Amino acid sequence: MAAVDLRSDTVTKPSAAMRKAMADAEVGDDVYGEDPTVRRLEERVADMLGCEAALFVPTGTMANQIALRSQTRPGDEVIIGQGAHCWRHESGALAALAGAQTQIIGSDGTFTAAEVRAAFKGDDPYQSPTKVVAVENTHNMAGGICWQRAALTEVVTAAHQLGMAAHLDGARIWNAAVAAGETEKQLAHGFDSVSVCLSKGLGAPAGSLVAGSRALIKACHRFRKMHGGGMRQAGVLAAAGVYALDHHRARLPEDHANAKALAEALAGAAGLRVMPPQTNIVMIDVERGTASAVIAQARDAGVLLGAAGPQRIRAVTHLDVDRDAVLRAAKVIAEAAAKL
Ligand SMILES: Cc1ncc(COP(=O)(O)O)c(C=O)c1O
């Protein structure tokens, strides 16, 4: 029996139909600006996010990093929520490549406008000027949680009133839109830069975009080149993204329902505490033993999971796992935890 891989929503394999769309893509040299499929994807995503322009990049990491680098100078500060990807999981790029320092605020990945105001450092030669607030929605390490639209508006307004820019890491904005019953455009409203990924819940093999004003995207274009992200016949990858938007976005509620089913099947399991999922990420706390012990036992039984801390397991649903698979995984996880 095939393993049930719940380590991430990045583990999906491109379907035969997606591969055909990739093979059939009309391409050109995108470093010369000549790839029509890349252009089409960039225009479509800019429109979906209500932005003037967008730029196709290989990864979400590059999208975040060039957006933040474009809006800071070395020595500037970026305010970030607890556990944010652009701080915790991007190899220190903000420090190494943008030369920015970070200040972490909030406690569960989200934060308030009051916390932004309290954290802001103004015009003081002894301090690092705070230039950008970065929001992550959905928030990965906080368990795929969604921001309320009112809270987003308050944070963006506070940032702008203080003369800062607001960046949205919307790697999973598609999931956030489904869960919040909003459009991506509504969730991105007011942000100066937005990064989105096609390679997470949407199932493309690679590809992200950064969106914003034409001026910002021009600056991002230069940093994309500097970071080594200029690609040639990238339409092959962009075609997978177009296919993913056309065919995989509408099915995201299925992933959310499967995450809920997994959490419900584990509710009451001995030695486990499960956070009710808002989207496709389920955080499971291990009360006895360690997360890695449960993960090792589950792996031997054909269920792959990730660790999100010494006591915390992360399970992510996606288009390559169905309801039977998640229920099988729940049984294996409960049995593994019961043995500790
Ligand atoms: C919230 C978030 N932002 C950005 C990224 C980075 O994406 P990539 O792995 O394509 O660099 C990830 C990856 O999982 C993520 O979860």
Side-chain angles (χ1 to χ4, degrees):
M1 200 183 275
V4 180
D5 195 344
L6 299 175
R7 287 171 301 161
S8 175
D9 47 7
T10 58
V11 300
T12 55
K13 308 252 168 66
S15 63
M18 182 181 275
R19 286 169 194 255
K20 173 149 182 17
M22 295 170 76
D24 292 347
E26 202 187 335
V27 296
D29 188 333
D30 189 46
V31 172
Y32 291 136
E34 289 174 2
D35 191 301
T37 311
V38 171
R39 277 305 79 66
R40 216 168 44 244
L41 176 65
E42 288 174 340
E43 281 163 20
R44 178 164 174 188
V45 169
D47 184 55
M48 286 176 81
L49 298 172
C51 295
E52 281 178 3
L55 185 72
F56 188 52
V57 293
T59 63
T61 298
M62 190 179 288
N64 280 335
Q65 292 303 325
I66 64 177
L68 292 169
R69 190 165 180 184
S70 297
Q71 295 173 100
T72 51
R73 291 192 354 204
D76 286 350
E77 181 175 85
V78 181
I79 297 178
I80 298 179
Q82 191 76 40
H85 197 280
C86 65
W87 169 77
R88 178 168 170 174
H89 285 132
E90 297 186 3
S91 289
L94 263 177
L97 304 178
Q101 76 168 31
T102 51
Q103 185 181 178
I104 304 301
I105 61 171
S107 54
D108 69 345
T110 66
F111 47 82
T112 63
E115 286 170 315
V116 171
R117 289 182 202 285
F120 176 74
K121 300 193 193 85
D123 188 15
D124 175 346
Y126 295 100
Q127 296 192 318
S128 162
T130 319
K131 289 296 163 97
V132 187
V133 175
V135 165
E136 188 173 308
N137 192 22
T138 67
H139 196 291
N140 180 357
M141 293 315 285
I145 61 169
C146 301
W147 282 69
Q148 296 298 317
R149 185 141 73 96
L152 289 174
T153 305
E154 282 169 24
V155 162
V156 170
T157 304
H160 289 164
Q161 283 171 347
L162 293 164
M164 290 190 278
H167 171 70
L168 173 60
D169 178 346
R172 295 183 181 79
I173 196 170
W174 331 105
N175 300 83
V178 165
E182 310 264 5
T183 62
E184 288 83 357
K185 194 176 285 187
Q186 286 168 319
L187 295 179
H189 183 73
F191 282 95
D192 301 278
S193 53
V194 185
S195 60
V196 299
C197 290
L198 303 163
S199 58
K200 314 265 162 357
L202 294 187
S208 292
L209 293 102
V210 55
S213 67
R214 267 187 250 292
L216 179 84
I217 294 308
K218 187 162 181 250
C220 286
H221 200 154
R222 172 156 185 257
F223 285 121
R224 182 182 74 173
K225 186 66 185 160
M226 201 184 282
H227 287 224
M231 298 183 286
R232 302 293 178 177
Q233 285 69 31
V236 171
L237 290 174
V242 171
Y243 183 92
L245 288 170
D246 286 342
H247 298 277
H248 294 165
R249 186 160 148 256
R251 57 154 305 287
L252 288 175
E254 215 180 294
D255 294 344
H256 296 189
N258 283 337
K260 196 158 172 265
L262 175 66
E264 283 171 0
L266 285 172
L272 295 176
R273 209 174 43 243
V274 187
M275 265 174 68
Q278 294 182 17
T279 56
N280 67 329
I281 299 177
V282 187
M283 293 297 195
I284 306 158
D285 285 340
V286 176
E287 290 173 331
R288 293 191 302 268
T290 59
S292 55
V294 175
I295 291 168
Q297 285 199 43
R299 187 177 52 234
D300 292 344
V303 173
L304 307 182
L305 303 160
Q311 303 296 130
R312 182 164 281 190
I313 296 169
R314 189 184 76 141
V316 189
T317 57
H318 51 77
L319 79 168
D320 286 354
V321 290
D322 59 15
R323 181 61 60 92
D324 285 352
V326 297
L327 295 181
R328 180 151 66 89
K331 194 160 171 286
V332 165
I333 296 165
E335 282 169 5
K339 284 190 204 146
L340 294 178

